[in-house]
Amino acid sequence: MLKNLFVKTFFLALAVLLIANAASAAISVILPVDVKLDNKAEFELGNVAAGETFGVVVQKKSGNGFDWDSLNANIPNSWNVNYRLSDKTLIADISIPANAPEATSVLTFTLSSSERPLTSESFKGIVNVRKNLLTVTMDNLKQSVIGGNQVFYRFVASNDSIAEHRIAIESSLPDYWFEPREIILQPKQKQELALPLKPRADGTRNFSFFVKSRQNDFSRVFNAELSVAQTIQGKFSASAYAFPFFSLSNFAFYLFNSLWVTPFP
């Protein structure tokens, strides 16, 4: 009698344990989109460019009385993944090669928990590797200014990717005319900047701005023209910034005058 009671109790406890482990836990994805998923669900992660790294962030809380503590991503062979933990989330940082072709991939993510060894759940994320996710424009490319004054160029950059992207803005002018800079565009971000340029010599200059990705082969060139009206100070200080190729015999005179009109500290 006692033996039969023990056997029944054992199998009842085992059944309760199996049912508890079989109960579907919640999967809460925070980034790159905020969504709650059922086990084996599939959803769109979004678009990403070659050379970028995007993060998939999942909450540890399962909603079923335990925490997920392990996240594994099944990705294409040429891709790379690094895992991170925070107090409340599991993170997979997925990097795409700079030479990756345009394609659509289905990534499988598996969650498990040391609290429930028999429990694991998974979901699938669809990611599209695409070109032309960066858009950059520049305005006011033909300007006139009085010598010694700054001019500004309106620069607008948009990032339609689920990953951040770094770009550099340079020019064919010397750095003391236009200082190169680098900006980071966050996912789905648009930035508008006023880029300053300070001419150091009078006359008309034809030059170019170069916008280059730090992560792939994206680049754009913007041709510009700047007319700088001569001032008395500009006339005599020009040789401090631009060598007088057409007045070599007078170079010493120009240099003396440029030092004379340059304010002393």
Side-chain angles (χ1 to χ4, degrees):
M1 183 74 177
L2 290 174
K3 182 178 180 181
N4 289 337
L5 180 62
F6 173 78
V7 171
K8 289 181 180 179
T9 303
F10 172 78
F11 280 109
L12 178 62
L14 180 61
V16 171
L17 178 63
L18 291 174
I19 291 172
N21 279 283
S24 179
I27 302 174
S28 297
V29 179
I30 303 172
L31 290 173
V33 292
D34 190 351
V35 62
K36 291 190 182 298
L37 303 170
D38 295 326
N39 187 29
K40 301 187 186 304
E42 184 175 289
F43 74 109
E44 288 276 351
L45 286 168
N47 298 326
V48 65
E52 293 182 335
T53 297
F54 68 95
V56 176
V57 183
V58 181
Q59 281 188 347
K60 285 183 176 179
K61 293 292 183 183
S62 70
N64 203 23
F66 66 94
D67 286 355
W68 302 114
D69 54 27
S70 177
L71 173 65
N72 182 71
N74 185 7
I75 59 176
N77 290 333
S78 60
W79 296 17
N80 186 52
V81 59
N82 289 311
Y83 299 102
R84 294 183 288 131
L85 296 175
S86 73
D87 291 341
K88 298 181 179 180
T89 61
L90 305 169
I91 305 163
D93 292 316
I94 299 173
S95 300
I96 301 172
N99 61 351
E102 288 190 294
T104 296
S105 298
V106 179
L107 314 181
T108 300
F109 299 86
T110 302
L111 290 162
S112 58
S113 172
S114 57
E115 299 177 46
R116 299 285 180 91
L118 299 180
T119 298
S120 68
E121 296 194 3
S122 64
F123 62 92
K124 294 182 178 180
I126 302 170
V127 62
N128 308 299
V129 179
R130 295 288 183 265
K131 295 181 180 179
N132 302 319
L133 297 180
L134 282 178
T135 304
V136 295
T137 61
M138 290 193 75
D139 294 339
N140 306 324
L141 289 171
K142 187 173 183 178
Q143 296 196 54
S144 298
V145 66
I146 297 174
N149 293 333
Q150 280 189 325
V151 293
F152 293 89
Y153 296 86
R154 180 173 175 266
F155 177 80
V156 180
S158 297
N159 179 21
D160 197 33
S161 169
I162 58 174
E164 70 175 31
H165 203 103
R166 291 180 293 113
I167 59 175
I169 308 168
E170 302 169 351
S171 83
S172 59
L173 295 169
D175 290 354
Y176 52 82
W177 283 56
F178 177 79
E179 184 176 354
R181 62 186 301 175
E182 186 173 290
I183 64 172
I184 297 178
L185 291 165
Q186 297 300 321
K188 302 291 184 178
Q189 184 188 31
K190 179 178 180 180
Q191 280 195 44
E192 182 174 333
L193 305 173
L195 301 176
L197 183 153
K198 188 165 186 177
R200 300 294 187 174
D202 302 327
T204 298
R205 290 291 180 106
N206 293 298
F207 64 98
S208 299
F209 289 102
F210 307 106
V211 181
K212 303 175 184 178
S213 167
R214 292 302 195 198
Q215 294 167 250
N216 56 35
D217 60 359
F218 174 90
S219 65
R220 294 290 184 272
V221 178
F222 298 96
N223 296 319
E225 180 182 294
L226 179 62
S227 296
V228 184
Q230 192 176 67
T231 62
I232 294 176
Q233 182 169 343
K235 177 179 179 180
F236 291 106
S237 64
S239 58
Y241 300 99
F243 195 77
F245 292 102
F246 301 104
S247 305
L248 298 180
S249 61
N250 294 322
F251 176 62
F253 171 77
Y254 285 133
L255 181 60
F256 174 79
N257 281 290
S258 68
L259 295 175
W260 178 258
V261 298
T262 301
F264 293 97

